[in-house]
Amino acid sequence: MTHKSKSWTRIKNLGKSKKDLDLAKLFKKDDTRGISFNASIADIELDFSKSKITKKALMEFEKLAKELDLQGKIFDLLQGKITNNTEKRSVGHVWLRSRNFRPKSILGVGEIDAVQSSFLDFSDKVRAGVVKGFTGESFTDVVNIGIGGSDLGPAMVYQALGHSHDGKINCHYVSNIDELEISTVLRKLNPAKTLIVVTSKTFTTSETLKNAAYAKNWLVQSLGDIATKFHFVAISANSRESQKFGIETDRIFPFWDWVGGRFSLMSSVGISIALGYGSEVFTALQKGASKVDQTLTNIDYKTNAAFIHAAINIWNLNILKLNSLAVIPYSSALSRFPAFLQQLWMESNGKSVDKQGRAVKLATCPIIFGEPGTNSQHSFFQLLHQGTDIIPVEFIIVKDNQGQDSFFHKSLIANALAQSFVLAFGKSKKELKEENTVGDLISHKEMKGNRPSMILTVPKIDATNLGELIAFYETSVIIQGLLLNINSFDQWGVELGKKTAEKMLNVLQNDDKLDFDSGTNNQIKNFRD
Ligand code: F6P
């Protein structure tokens, strides 16, 4: 158990002296901190100089990783040993993009390339107008129907690459069980030119099935039953249910049970990226992720940014007792990135028992939220700067101006750097007095500083770099889970809510006896016809 390990005891001891963790003092003590507290992975740079951590503490994390045989556990994962123990599954999303790791003995691994060729070939044919709709018209729009991992990743990437879209195929994402969402999307589309992609690993998710049925009805009303086979595609590990829905076998692009939903965007789940941008963009995404994957076989704990990022997040949560995390991309293109990250990180590590089912004694996952900067500065940054809770911040900035007017680009960077500077060093009462601040405003304007943040720099927003960014966070989340000895690959916590919602729907629709608590019963009465 991690909390009983020798290294953990030493880590805890290093966190006891809060005065050693004062950012102003740390920078004063070591004037190379701004340079030496930097790491990289592939093309991503991590500046962790404004994290309240010392090299000594990071060395102890290195020892913890050795004591817990982190590298051995990663080898086990890469080789297909059962890492998701509660579902008895291997964890193989890395195999999709990194051929050198593929274990031949695992069912489905031998099919990866053929499946990928078939859905990329299909996508390119749709884009070229070779695959057409029932009436012979080319497709102009794609609607991806899916939720959670079957939506967030592809939707995030599609949005992020918007600046390079060629206008050929527009993709739309429908996820919620909310008729207003799907009807608003479909209302603007021509059924004859629309391809519907039903993305669901299980093909049992009620939100997705309801929306898929709604879309089918919309299509059939306009073009007749026969159009379904021309206009529907399924992305699923459940081909039986996909066929039952009416989707032709050659339009069902599978993936496998060893690809977890939140890790699935570089499988056929990402088909909408290929449809929207072309197969080469999809493969560039994989190429970027693979650059990060290659570091997995020999993790240099001193320099590997994903490992350091994982260590600092565990430190912030458990030693500094900071239980939230703001992730702020200074790029509107990444506006869906925090939402993607919420599922990746919180569904993976939001656990309170370890792999053996024992209560964990350490905090496992921060509460993650975020919005692009600068917008978020004009919204919740007041709390980040002066609120009673201290919330670490991860700033994501983009190095290249990508053809933007340099004033825009430099403004984004200046704002990100300014926030991290102010969070760290604040403004003292003394400084305010020296500036002749009116006496009774001094305490309102005082910024105590010493609030931790990190800066992640990506070279630019393109498919390769996005692939790297995604894989960087996947790797960090997995390392955190392995160090904490939790199963990052199951999600039992969402099951009861799903089942209860089914029961609740029955009760709402029928006159069943009300046997919930009085508050719930009262709400049900308000919504019964
Ligand atoms: O929310 C639970 C969950 O199982 C996620 O892990 C998954 O990404 C999502 O539901 C959608 O599942 P499916 O792809 O099977 O429809």
Side-chain angles (χ1 to χ4, degrees), residues 147-150 199-203 205 208 261-262 343 347 491 494 498:
I147 196 162
S150 296
T199 309
S200 176
K201 180 173 172 180
T202 55
F203 223 86
T205 303
T208 301
R262 50 194 174 274
Q343 190 205 11
E347 197 171 78
Q491 57 284 318
V494 292
K498 273 190 207 169

XYZ file of all heavy atoms in Angstrom, residues 147-150 199-203 205 208 261-262 343 347 491 494 498, ligand 1:
150
model
N -21.695 9.489 -26.219
C -21.570 10.259 -24.972
C -20.311 9.818 -24.220
O -19.800 8.712 -24.465
C -22.873 10.112 -24.129
C -22.974 11.178 -23.027
C -22.993 8.709 -23.518
C -24.391 11.346 -22.464
N -19.836 10.648 -23.326
C -18.624 10.307 -22.561
C -17.453 10.145 -23.508
O -17.218 10.978 -24.388
N -16.743 9.035 -23.381
C -15.576 8.798 -24.229
C -15.935 8.663 -25.701
O -15.072 8.773 -26.575
N -17.188 8.425 -26.008
C -17.618 8.290 -27.400
C -18.010 9.629 -28.003
O -18.585 9.688 -29.092
C -18.787 7.299 -27.489
O -18.349 6.020 -27.090
N -21.767 6.176 -32.151
C -20.541 5.741 -31.483
C -20.869 5.280 -30.076
O -21.277 6.075 -29.225
C -19.523 6.909 -31.442
O -19.380 7.438 -32.765
C -18.172 6.450 -30.937
N -20.721 3.988 -29.843
C -20.987 3.465 -28.496
C -20.254 2.140 -28.347
O -20.542 1.186 -29.072
C -22.485 3.253 -28.287
O -22.719 2.670 -27.033
N -19.326 2.098 -27.428
C -18.574 0.864 -27.230
C -19.535 -0.294 -26.934
O -19.454 -1.359 -27.515
C -17.592 1.067 -26.076
C -16.742 -0.150 -25.771
C -15.683 0.189 -24.747
C -14.968 -1.071 -24.317
N -13.930 -0.824 -23.331
N -20.466 -0.046 -26.028
C -21.366 -1.125 -25.586
C -22.596 -1.248 -26.474
O -23.231 -2.292 -26.514
C -21.862 -0.822 -24.165
O -22.464 0.493 -24.181
C -20.733 -0.848 -23.147
N -22.946 -0.209 -27.149
C -24.195 -0.079 -27.911
C -25.409 -0.364 -27.029
O -26.419 -0.913 -27.470
C -24.218 -0.985 -29.153
C -24.772 -0.271 -30.363
C -23.951 0.488 -31.168
C -26.128 -0.329 -30.689
C -24.450 1.189 -32.266
C -26.646 0.359 -31.786
C -25.804 1.118 -32.586
N -25.885 2.156 -24.343
C -26.009 3.401 -23.573
C -27.303 4.121 -23.954
O -27.525 4.439 -25.135
C -24.773 4.302 -23.838
O -23.618 3.535 -23.501
C -24.795 5.565 -23.013
N -27.408 7.416 -26.051
C -26.987 7.246 -27.442
C -28.051 6.503 -28.251
O -28.363 6.886 -29.388
C -25.636 6.488 -27.465
O -24.709 7.266 -26.722
C -25.121 6.264 -28.866
N -13.322 3.531 -22.880
C -14.053 4.634 -23.513
C -13.269 5.940 -23.509
O -13.096 6.584 -24.537
N -12.754 6.326 -22.334
C -12.084 7.639 -22.226
C -10.692 7.634 -22.834
O -10.038 8.677 -22.899
C -12.057 8.086 -20.775
C -11.531 7.052 -19.787
C -11.855 7.437 -18.345
N -11.492 6.408 -17.383
C -12.256 5.385 -17.035
N -13.441 5.221 -17.611
N -11.872 4.509 -16.144
N -13.256 13.907 -17.900
C -13.598 12.483 -17.959
C -12.344 11.624 -17.837
O -12.312 10.654 -17.080
C -14.339 12.119 -19.258
C -14.890 10.697 -19.173
C -15.105 9.996 -20.504
O -14.665 10.462 -21.554
N -15.779 8.862 -20.454
N -12.907 10.240 -14.187
C -13.537 8.916 -14.291
C -12.482 7.839 -14.045
O -12.769 6.756 -13.551
C -14.209 8.731 -15.656
C -15.208 7.570 -15.668
C -16.059 7.481 -16.926
O -15.560 7.010 -17.965
O -17.239 7.867 -16.875
N -15.179 2.035 -13.980
C -16.009 3.203 -13.620
C -17.312 2.729 -13.008
O -18.391 3.082 -13.454
C -16.255 4.126 -14.827
C -16.916 3.507 -16.060
C -15.975 2.667 -16.873
O -14.830 3.044 -17.089
N -16.430 1.506 -17.321
N -20.507 4.977 -11.923
C -21.573 5.573 -12.729
C -22.749 4.600 -12.915
O -23.809 4.987 -13.387
C -21.058 6.076 -14.114
C -20.120 7.258 -13.935
C -20.384 4.983 -14.891
N -26.946 5.202 -13.347
C -27.594 4.839 -14.620
C -28.827 3.981 -14.355
O -29.899 4.222 -14.894
C -26.623 3.986 -15.464
C -25.675 4.742 -16.331
C -24.977 3.751 -17.262
C -23.624 4.229 -17.699
N -22.819 3.226 -18.378
O -20.126 7.092 -18.206
C -19.796 5.763 -18.271
C -19.359 5.339 -19.624
O -19.287 3.972 -19.615
C -18.035 5.954 -20.071
O -16.947 5.331 -19.515
C -18.129 5.800 -21.542
O -17.182 6.571 -22.215
C -19.563 6.261 -21.763
O -20.262 5.726 -20.650
C -20.193 5.835 -23.062
O -20.241 4.444 -23.190
P -20.511 3.758 -24.584
O -19.411 4.128 -25.499
O -20.547 2.285 -24.294
O -21.831 4.248 -25.103
